């Protein structure tokens, strides 16, 4: 299973509305999560072999009408990702709060390093 599919499945255990890259129209009426790969580390074996391990740095943002709810869901996501046995995920940053003036939603963003096979 691709790392994106596994990540999507894990995120939906915390919040049912999950999107890759951006929230699709029409915007969800409740809380939702957006994830996006923003970079990653590369393994380059000297023997020119294909590495058996890959890395993705994923940015995960929760959007909600409530600051408290956005942060609460973000912390739940961190706990789910830290404890999964499907891949190894570790936070690279603490929560960063955001606000979208246009849609009046509060965001909570965090970056994770995910190592997977």
């Amino acid at each position: 299973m691709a790392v994106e599919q596994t990540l999507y499945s894990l995120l939906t255990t915390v919040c049912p509305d999950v999107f890759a890259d951006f929230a699709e129209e029409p915007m969800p009426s409740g809380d939702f999560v957006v994830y996006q790969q923003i970079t990653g580390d590369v393994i380059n074996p000297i023997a020119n072999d294909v590495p058996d391990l890959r890395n993705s740095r994923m940015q995960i943002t929760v959007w909600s009408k409530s600051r408290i709810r956005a942060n609460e869901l973000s912390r739940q996501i961190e706990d789910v990702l830290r404890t999964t046995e499907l891949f190894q995920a570790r936070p690279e940053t603490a929560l960063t709060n955001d606000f979208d003036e246009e849609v009046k939603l509060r965001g909570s963003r965090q970056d994770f390093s995910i190592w997977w096979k």
Side-chain angles (χ1 to χ4, degrees), residues 32-116:
F32 63 95
V33 176
V34 176
Y35 69 92
Q36 181 178 29
Q37 182 168 341
I38 55 174
T39 187
D41 293 324
V42 177
I43 296 174
N44 290 313
I46 294 173
N48 292 331
D49 295 333
V50 175
D52 66 344
L53 198 58
R54 297 183 185 268
N55 179 260
S56 300
R57 182 160 302 149
M58 296 288 193
Q59 186 169 83
I60 300 171
T61 307
V62 174
W63 292 99
S64 179
K65 293 178 182 176
S66 161
R67 163 61 48 226
I68 292 171
R69 181 73 175 147
N71 287 355
E72 176 183 82
L73 289 172
S74 288
R75 290 183 186 106
Q76 289 176 24
I77 287 170
E78 180 179 336
D79 292 348
V80 166
L81 294 182
R82 279 181 178 271
T83 59
T84 186
E85 295 182 7
L86 300 173
F87 49 59
Q88 184 188 50
R90 297 295 179 260
E92 294 284 308
T93 62
L95 296 179
T96 301
N97 290 331
D98 198 359
F99 179 73
D100 188 311
E101 180 69 35
E102 185 178 332
V103 293
K104 307 290 188 221
L105 292 175
R106 285 149 177 84
S108 185
R109 182 177 61 246
Q110 191 169 18
D111 298 349
F112 291 86
S113 176
I114 300 175
W115 287 95
W116 54 281

Side-chain angles (χ1 to χ4, degrees), residues 1-25:
M1 184 182 306
V3 69
E4 297 85 0
Q5 188 175 2
T6 304
L7 178 62
Y8 176 87
S9 296
L10 289 168
L11 294 174
T12 59
T13 66
V14 176
C15 182
D17 287 324
V18 175
F19 303 93
D21 304 321
F22 60 91
E24 297 173 9
E25 296 289 336

